Amino acid sequence: HGLRNMAAPLRFGAAVMQSAVTRGLFTSRLFSSVSTATTPLGDLTKQEPSKEAPSSLVKDESAKDRILLEPLKHPDFFEVKNLFTMRDLFNAKVHIGHKEGCWDRNMYPYIFGARLGVHIIDLDKTVDHLQHALNFTAHMAYRKAIILFISRHRQFTHLIENTAKDCGEYAHTRYWQGGMFTNATIQYGEGIRLPELIIFIHTLNNVFEPHVAIRDAAKMNIPTVGIVDTSCNPNLITYPVPGNDDSPDAVELYCRLFKEAILKGKAKREEMEKLVAKEREEKTKKDS
Amino acid sequence: MAGSRLEKFGTIFTRVRDLIRGGVIKYDKRPLWYDVYAAFPPRDAPLAEREHDIKPVRRILYPEDNIRAAFYKTYATPRPMDMTDQESVSECQKFILKYQQLERLGKYQEENALFEATAKALQRDGIVLRKRQPPKQETETTVSQEEERLEKGPALTIKLSDMIKEALQKPETEKP
């Protein structure tokens, strides 16, 4: 495509577009530029300059492979199950859905029953789905993905932006312009890197319709994690988490859990890199 | 970088996997999430259109709900509940526990007798419950309201049509 010839591969997180890309943004730092659409795995290796001579590149490759493949062998590498219990979900009112009349039929498998006209979400399923979602988030953070938090619920704008700041990732809680993903190369220039994971704390926008970014992420092959209430459509979301999205207790719980998962992922990455660097040093000492 | 924007067909994984199979995306240039998705796929594939065998959602009801219904009909909500206190037990819950205790003793056969006995037992424990007043019927209120108005003073019952009638009648009588 000739796009890779254009810009020299920039270091991860360096050039971040702070400009007022979308109306009313000041804390939403969107995209840094490396290459278009999804980041190929090959480019990740180019990002960190190798200090060794080309002859030991083979060793370097296998080290990188080991870093990336090691966590996938364990069912719960980041111990995400220890982050919460079902009792925590109950106390945060995660099981409370909307009234019977305004449900989305696609939420049927996740609903336990109706108590006096209010749908109750099955917490067994929520626990399972939430563990899955947190595990995926941690793995993506481990792989240095750009993670974008999206929510259009104005009550929690500040909370979500702070959550994103605290874990060093990105948030978009303002008006969503039409072609942010689908028209990215024209709106933001050629060498644009889109987020590799999107976390929807609220799936609906201000007029109770599905957020445009859900469909756009599916179009651009970006995996999504989302909290789906009984009035939401969970179909296009890769890792849906059925739960209440209106109570402040519940939303604070979700923000805390995702932040902790991301920080765990990043911490493990640093650990693994140090470990592998040590092993490489020991090997070179043995060889020499 | 190639991609497939057909979100209505298959999942992101199937589309990318098939593009790799077809040689459009090279395996080395596969997206970051591909391996993670392959290792930990979601419980249900995120297809845009899904069919559900929808049966009626079950209603969550407990045996104590009968007691609750009777309690709230007689007493209404005694005082506002503090939702932040997880340990507190509401008056209704205490009523239910006492009711079930007395039921197990087996002294009372009729539900009404059991209900009254529970109320008395709670009184002995120190929880006083006031019966709520039955709502007034509509016809009674309208009649009583009119009577009240007449009592307060004739000024409240003046009508403009009556005043005009009086004014018209006066000149007729005064004209010789």
Side-chain angles (χ1 to χ4, degrees), chain A residues 1 36 38-42 44 72 74-75 91 105-106 108-115 120 128-129 132 135-136 139-140 143 145 182 196 215 218-221 223 234-239, chain B residues 1-7 12 15-16 19 28-33 35-37 39-50 52-62 65 68 86:
Chain A
H1 288 276
T36 54
T38 48
T39 312
L41 278 170
L44 266 178
L72 298 178
H74 304 256
N91 289 338
R105 291 167 79 79
N106 292 302
Y108 176 74
Y110 307 122
I111 291 173
F112 179 76
R115 174 72 171 158
I120 303 296
D128 182 47
H129 282 80
H132 236 52
N135 181 47
F136 188 82
H139 275 278
M140 291 304 281
R143 289 169 165 242
T182 46
E196 280 101 21
R215 189 206 66 191
K219 276 185 183 283
M220 306 308 288
N221 299 328
N235 283 0
L236 276 178
I237 295 169
T238 326
Y239 293 87
Chain B
M1 179 71 181
S4 170
R5 294 194 180 191
L6 306 169
E7 85 275 10
I12 52 172
R15 274 177 271 133
V16 172
L19 286 172
D28 298 328
K29 316 276 183 185
R30 66 191 184 279
L32 197 59
W33 53 267
D35 292 335
V36 188
Y37 189 116
F40 307 105
R43 292 273 177 249
D44 310 301
L47 294 159
E49 303 288 330
R50 285 188 237 181
H52 299 285
D53 179 23
I54 293 182
K55 294 171 191 168
V57 173
R58 81 180 111 185
R59 283 192 288 171
I60 300 170
L61 294 167
Y62 302 100
D65 284 345
R68 282 198 187 107
Q86 301 276 2

Side-chain angles (χ1 to χ4, degrees), chain A residues 11 16 35-36 46 68 74 84 87 160 168 200 248 288:
Chain A
R11 288 202 60 223
V16 162
S35 44
T36 54
K46 286 180 204 162
L68 291 178
H74 304 256
F84 69 100
R87 176 59 61 172
I160 291 165
F200 285 93
S288 65

Side-chain angles (χ1 to χ4, degrees), chain A residues 163-174:
Chain A
T163 308
K165 246 194 246 182
D166 291 341
C167 54
E169 294 299 335
Y170 305 86
H172 186 100
T173 52
R174 313 288 165 147

Side-chain angles (χ1 to χ4, degrees), chain A residues 60-134:
Chain A
D60 209 25
E61 285 292 320
S62 66
K64 294 295 173 191
D65 279 345
R66 204 190 131 204
I67 290 176
L68 291 178
L69 293 176
E70 179 66 33
L72 298 178
K73 297 175 192 168
H74 304 256
D76 193 7
F77 189 70
F78 303 99
E79 287 166 11
V80 141
K81 295 189 180 179
N82 301 339
L83 287 175
F84 69 100
T85 59
M86 200 193 279
R87 176 59 61 172
D88 291 337
L89 296 182
F90 182 81
N91 289 338
K93 302 165 212 140
V94 164
H95 58 292
I96 299 175
H98 286 270
K99 278 271 192 182
E100 278 180 307
C102 63
W103 74 321
D104 190 306
R105 291 167 79 79
N106 292 302
M107 286 297 289
Y108 176 74
Y110 307 122
I111 291 173
F112 179 76
R115 174 72 171 158
L116 302 178
V118 175
H119 274 136
I120 303 296
I121 295 166
D122 192 347
L123 281 184
D124 286 323
K125 304 221 166 92
T126 303
V127 165
D128 182 47
H129 282 80
L130 187 54
Q131 281 171 355
H132 236 52
L134 290 171

Side-chain angles (χ1 to χ4, degrees), chain B residues 10 18 21 31 34 50 62 76 99 107 119 129 150 165 175:
Chain B
D18 294 343
R21 267 194 209 158
Y34 190 82
R50 285 188 237 181
Y62 302 100
Y99 189 102
K107 278 188 210 171
L129 297 163
L150 282 169
K165 270 186 200 169
K175 280 179 187 170

